[in-house]
Amino acid sequence: MAKSRITPEKYSGTTQVEHFGKLLNELSKLGTVISTSFGPLGRLKFLQTSQGGHVTVTSSSKRILNQLPSGHPVMHIIISAVREHLARFDDGGLFLIQLTINLITSASRLSIPNHSIIACYEFILKCCIDFFQSDTCPCRINVDISSIKTMLAFMKSILCTKPTCTLNDSEISHLSLLLIKGFVSAIPSPTSQEQFSLQECIQFIHCYGESASESKLLDGILIDNSFTLRNDRDSYTNKFQFLRLPDNTIRVILFNISLAGDPEDSLPENITLIATKDDRSLKLSSIAMERFRRLIEILKANHVGFVGCQKCVHPTFKLALETNGIFVCDRLSILNIGKVKKITGATVLSTSFTEIKDHHFGAISDANYIHINNKCFLNLIPSKYNGRNISTIAIISKDETSCDEIKLVLAAAINSLQQIVTNAVALCGSGCTELTLVRYLQQNRESLFNSAKSQVQLTKSKFFTILDSFQLSLIKIVSSLNQNEKEILTEVQHGHHWIKLSRSISDRCRCGMKNRNEIKSPTFYSPKFDEAIPVKSEVDIVSTSYYRSNENIVLDSFAMKINAYHVAISVANIALRIINTVSDAQT
Ligand SMILES: [Zn+2]
């Protein structure tokens, strides 16, 4: 009897040391890419795969993460968590990645067991959330959402964060105003039955042009209709006599099938065509035309004024419809049919044989062709009766790269507007919140240890070591905001983020909320070394674009920041719980 032999598979796992070595190596590379992209002074990244192809120029976390490979399993966890955060808030990705990386990296350098660090991080997270949610939190700001100045400042603080947008101050102001107008117009009426997200209510299109100051906010949606063969489209809709309902709205019907008279579209499913080779085309044509004639009668009887079709409409059928006051927009494509469905409220029909019922129809108030910088669009304006307040921002930019980046920051700004209207609270931006938190943790370390000792079971010195490493993780992020070019300071009484200039200290903190001259006996110190720095009387000349006036305060969305802290500490703790990984990938 032959002996069977079992060959043990080679163990492809890693030891704990190898696991952390590989992880820290990948975290270090990602950390460098992310920290050098952070803030308005962040450097651009040119991303291209080793096989070549499209080059992405960006400093946005969303686009960087889409391009970067992630080899280590823990990196997958980090990147997935950041993507989830970005899907919800569209902002704060770079901060979140940096905090996660800094926490994991600093924990790996401590001679303290991981389970103790995890317990301590969880305690610190609770302290941070309590600090932010406390009414006495100095970096928590109640935002007056009725003040246009405050809301504009809030928008500007988001739009100025990405250098790839290449926006100057007047362009930022113009886009901020468009965003607020679009946001206000997107607020649903109290009678509206359907609820849309703001992302659905404010759409973006791109046109090439000289300056973002030419960008426009338009009511309704814009459909790129440059493929339409009609030469007189400019004047066509202006003189087109739409068949209208008594309330002056235009009734809409939508199809996602071809109405070009193709054999498979002309016959109901239960009819099988038997035709000879010679007479087939003739009979099909007459069947199709008969079907079209009946459809026109049905549409006329129901006062339909607009037919939208995802595919082609036969020119003869189109002419017959338009002669009867029914405007036809065909070749909408899969990209646009959903938008048209949303704005009109119509049901998209997959057959022209079904009985058309009242709930299949939608409505618009008007349709026009418009030109924006030599590009032609069909503008569908929603009916005021169906509560679909959808508007479009036509972004004018010189190139595709800046447009892609502008779209991302506009989406982040809209998301932040939604958050702030739900809860009119924000946190100071530009690192002021982080350094105020560091000051709080430094000044309350004894009381924090007394609260923590029953939960974390650490000696005082070990607790302080972990607390200090957490603070250093935050300070490192604030330093990267200045691209490590200027020394950062904080103030004993109020915290915030101040810059040490060559002969003095900045007049205002980075978020713009605190004025140095308004603080009684200010004492600044470097948060890294807890060293008090005497205030000098000389004042440097400071460029207005870098240190903003009081109206240009920099704020962060409260919900976004809280979530970023939560996700960063939770993901860091998950990473610290993993002691090795096993992969089936061949090495
Ligand atoms: Zn500040």
Side-chain angles (χ1 to χ4, degrees):
M1 191 177 172
K3 288 183 181 176
S4 62
R5 177 177 291 178
I6 298 170
T7 308
E9 280 189 29
K10 192 183 171 190
Y11 174 62
S12 61
T14 56
T15 65
Q16 188 172 351
V17 175
E18 286 170 347
H19 160 74
F20 265 107
K22 283 183 182 176
L23 176 60
L24 292 177
N25 187 30
E26 288 204 24
L27 287 178
S28 166
K29 287 177 190 166
L30 178 63
T32 306
V33 172
I34 296 297
S35 64
T36 53
S37 307
F38 193 43
L41 301 178
R43 286 153 198 164
L44 302 183
K45 302 292 171 289
F46 287 69
L47 303 165
Q48 188 183 38
T49 62
S50 55
Q51 280 79 37
H54 181 73
V55 177
T56 302
V57 183
T58 187
S59 62
S60 144
S61 59
K62 195 177 245 181
R63 298 179 73 203
I64 289 173
L65 291 184
N66 284 342
Q67 297 283 325
L68 284 186
S70 57
H72 198 284
V74 175
M75 294 292 285
H76 284 292
I77 297 172
I78 295 171
I79 290 173
S80 300
V82 178
R83 284 196 177 130
E84 280 299 310
H85 170 87
L86 288 171
R88 197 169 152 205
F89 296 99
D90 289 310
D91 195 16
L94 294 173
F95 172 82
L96 167 51
I97 303 171
Q98 284 190 87
L99 184 55
T100 310
I101 291 174
N102 292 351
L103 290 176
I104 298 170
T105 310
S106 59
S108 70
R109 292 187 187 129
L110 302 177
S111 307
I112 299 173
N114 279 1
H115 64 85
S116 299
I117 298 174
I118 290 166
C120 202
Y121 277 172
E122 281 171 0
F123 174 79
I124 293 171
L125 171 63
K126 188 176 172 302
C127 293
C128 295
I129 304 297
D130 289 347
F131 172 71
F132 293 139
Q133 289 182 335
S134 148
D135 289 337
T136 55
C137 173
C139 43
R140 181 185 155 110
I141 296 157
N142 290 320
V143 179
D144 178 9
I145 58 171
S146 63
S147 159
I148 188 74
K149 271 187 181 176
T150 309
M151 297 307 281
L152 279 174
F154 186 49
M155 289 295 93
K156 286 177 190 173
S157 70
I158 296 169
L159 297 190
C160 71
T161 54
K162 300 293 176 206
T164 326
C165 295
T166 59
L167 297 172
N168 59 33
D169 281 352
S170 70
E171 289 169 331
I172 288 175
S173 299
H174 179 70
L175 286 173
S176 300
L177 198 58
L178 291 187
L179 277 172
I180 291 175
K181 282 182 182 172
F183 178 78
V184 171
S185 69
I187 294 171
S189 66
T191 55
S192 175
Q193 297 291 316
E194 292 181 68
Q195 295 295 320
F196 295 102
S197 72
L198 272 174
Q199 284 73 17
E200 289 175 315
C201 292
I202 304 178
Q203 313 243 336
F204 303 114
I205 56 135
H206 174 233
C207 295
Y208 291 107
E210 278 305 305
S211 164
S213 298
E214 298 167 20
S215 302
K216 300 175 184 181
L217 175 73
L218 294 140
D219 196 12
I221 58 168
L222 297 182
I223 298 165
D224 183 354
N225 216 22
S226 46
F227 50 79
T228 300
L229 300 175
R230 190 187 297 284
N231 293 324
D232 61 341
R233 61 186 171 224
D234 296 347
S235 57
Y236 188 78
T237 48
N238 295 337
K239 61 186 179 189
F240 190 85
Q241 295 294 315
F242 283 96
L243 193 62
R244 289 177 184 265
L245 292 171
D247 62 5
N248 207 32
T249 56
I250 302 168
R251 188 169 254 188
V252 175
I253 192 161
L254 299 178
F255 295 100
N256 61 4
I257 52 160
S258 166
L259 297 176
D262 301 329
E264 61 272 24
D265 299 321
S266 304
L267 292 171
E269 286 175 4
N270 57 351
I271 294 177
T272 308
L273 180 73
I274 302 170
T276 63
K277 203 174 182 181
D278 297 333
D279 63 3
R280 182 172 174 162
S281 60
L282 179 68
K283 286 191 175 177
L284 274 175
S285 175
S286 63
I287 290 169
M289 284 313 296
E290 179 54 30
R291 175 59 56 187
F292 287 157
R293 266 195 289 274
R294 269 194 236 163
L295 186 56
I296 291 170
E297 290 307 316
I298 294 168
L299 297 182
K300 273 171 64 184
N302 284 286
H303 302 282
V304 171
F306 183 98
V307 172
C309 182
Q310 184 179 325
K311 296 180 181 173
C312 281
V313 177
H314 194 282
T316 312
F317 183 41
K318 194 186 278 188
L319 187 65
L321 284 167
E322 291 181 347
T323 309
N324 286 283
I326 303 170
F327 186 84
V328 180
C329 181
D330 63 345
R331 302 166 197 258
L332 279 169
S333 84
I334 192 79
L335 295 173
N336 290 318
I337 193 79
K339 285 199 276 185
V340 179
K341 177 178 184 283
K342 227 163 248 154
I343 199 169
T344 60
T347 304
V348 181
L349 300 175
S350 300
T351 171
S352 57
F353 298 103
T354 187
E355 186 188 346
I356 299 171
K357 296 180 178 164
D358 274 355
H359 68 267
H360 290 150
F361 297 114
I364 50 173
S365 70
D366 219 337
N368 287 303
Y369 282 114
I370 60 166
H371 270 274
I372 302 174
N373 290 6
N374 297 325
K375 206 168 177 183
C376 183
F377 296 93
L378 180 65
N379 182 202
L380 299 184
I381 300 166
S383 161
K384 59 185 175 183
Y385 298 108
N386 61 15
R388 290 161 198 273
N389 304 323
I390 298 175
S391 52
T392 301
I393 295 179
I395 303 167
I396 311 292
S397 68
K398 286 178 185 168
D399 55 72
E400 197 181 338
T401 300
S402 60
C403 174
D404 288 344
E405 208 81 347
I406 291 171
K407 272 186 196 170
L408 283 180
V409 290
L410 293 189
I414 288 170
N415 203 324
S416 299
L417 270 176
Q418 193 168 14
Q419 303 289 341
I420 212 157
V421 167
T422 314
N423 181 16
V425 176
L427 289 170
C428 298
S430 285
C432 281
T433 291
E434 280 60 51
L435 292 190
T436 310
L437 175 63
V438 166
R439 184 202 61 129
Y440 166 79
L441 295 174
Q442 282 173 347
Q443 291 179 347
N444 295 280
R445 49 203 276 137
E446 289 290 341
S447 62
L448 289 174
F449 173 70
N450 290 334
S451 309
K453 60 186 175 188
S454 61
Q455 298 173 37
V456 298
Q457 294 170 349
L458 280 168
T459 62
K460 188 187 267 190
S461 67
K462 284 185 176 171
F463 176 79
F464 286 166
T465 304
I466 298 170
L467 191 64
D468 288 348
S469 89
F470 179 82
Q471 292 168 41
L472 278 171
S473 298
L474 293 177
I475 292 165
K476 208 173 158 188
I477 298 172
V478 180
S479 296
S480 69
L481 198 60
N482 301 320
Q483 294 306 315
N484 299 311
E485 287 174 1
K486 294 184 190 300
E487 187 177 338
I488 59 169
L489 301 172
T490 190
E491 201 274 326
V492 169
Q493 301 165 59
H494 298 93
H496 287 260
H497 173 198
W498 305 77
I499 297 289
K500 187 179 180 188
L501 304 170
S502 56
R503 286 181 295 140
S504 180
I505 291 165
S506 55
D507 267 355
R508 282 195 173 276
C509 70
R510 286 293 305 273
C511 79
M513 290 297 293
K514 290 287 170 196
N515 187 332
R516 191 182 65 167
N517 299 325
E518 291 167 4
I519 301 173
K520 198 177 175 185
S521 308
T523 307
F524 296 94
Y525 67 100
S526 166
K528 284 181 191 172
F529 308 106
D530 205 359
E531 179 188 333
I533 294 175
V535 182
K536 294 179 183 174
S537 56
E538 301 93 337
V539 177
D540 276 4
I541 297 167
V542 178
S543 78
T544 49
S545 62
Y546 194 73
Y547 300 104
R548 294 167 187 282
S549 69
N550 198 25
E551 286 177 7
N552 290 330
I553 52 171
V554 181
L555 300 175
D556 280 337
S557 161
F558 186 81
M560 179 278 291
K561 214 44 177 297
I562 295 272
N563 193 65
Y565 274 88
H566 220 287
V567 173
I569 294 176
S570 303
V571 172
N573 280 351
I574 290 171
L576 294 175
R577 282 191 177 98
I578 298 170
I579 55 169
N580 62 28
T581 56
V582 179
S583 167
D584 61 353
Q586 291 190 347
T587 55

